[in-house]
Amino acid sequence: MAKAKVGAAGIEYIQGAMKRPKKVNGHNHGNYMVMTHRSAPTENPNCQRIYTFDADRYERTTPVTPDEAAARLRFSTVAAMVKQRKGDLTKIAADQQAFIAQKDLPNGKKTLKAYYWLVCGNEYDQSLNG
């Protein structure tokens, strides 16, 4: 939903989705109403915008391509591998040591979660390539 900032004179700005279509009996009623607030410094005093979109704006119109299907499969598989690995008590100490050893390198991962995604992603890619 939308976020609003209220001041002494009333609403200063609203940012986000004000209205979404309601699905009833398999079809949508209404449309989207989105408000944006620009917070970047500028000389233009108009920083609030309102947009409306049809209810079917976010429905996919093309079939899923084989590349997209492969990317979705890779993401879900690697996510499951990460979840399993970070809960594996036999690997935690070794993973933490390996993470600390690489985190200050030029291309090192700065969080343990990112490191797990790198390691598990590489394992997945190697399992496919041979």
Side-chain angles (χ1 to χ4, degrees):
M1 292 314 286
K3 295 186 283 184
K5 182 177 180 185
V6 179
I11 297 173
E12 291 184 20
Y13 70 84
I14 300 173
Q15 184 173 10
M18 299 271 306
K19 179 181 170 221
R20 292 188 177 133
K22 182 177 181 182
K23 187 170 260 192
V24 178
N25 296 328
H27 64 281
N28 292 327
H29 294 272
N31 57 3
Y32 288 95
M33 182 184 297
V34 179
M35 295 185 74
T36 61
H37 176 77
R38 185 186 65 243
S39 56
T42 183
E43 294 179 9
N44 187 342
N46 302 320
C47 59
Q48 187 77 21
R49 300 270 194 267
I50 300 173
Y51 302 98
T52 61
F53 306 113
D54 291 333
D56 63 351
R57 164 80 178 230
Y58 299 107
E59 290 184 14
R60 187 179 184 109
T61 58
T62 59
V64 176
T65 65
D67 288 342
E68 288 174 307
R72 290 178 182 185
L73 176 63
R74 183 184 189 276
F75 180 84
S76 60
T77 305
V78 172
M81 291 169 69
V82 167
K83 183 177 181 181
Q84 180 185 9
R85 185 169 183 133
K86 73 180 187 182
D88 188 354
L89 298 176
T90 62
K91 294 183 181 179
I92 288 178
D95 284 344
Q96 288 175 345
Q97 288 176 349
F99 164 68
I100 291 170
Q102 64 83 45
K103 81 175 188 175
D104 293 327
L105 297 175
N107 292 327
K109 298 299 178 185
K110 302 300 180 200
T111 64
L112 186 58
K113 189 174 189 177
Y115 174 74
Y116 278 139
W117 274 90
L118 174 70
V119 170
C120 294
N122 289 341
E123 286 178 15
Y124 178 81
D125 294 339
Q126 286 178 356
S127 71
L128 290 181
N129 294 333

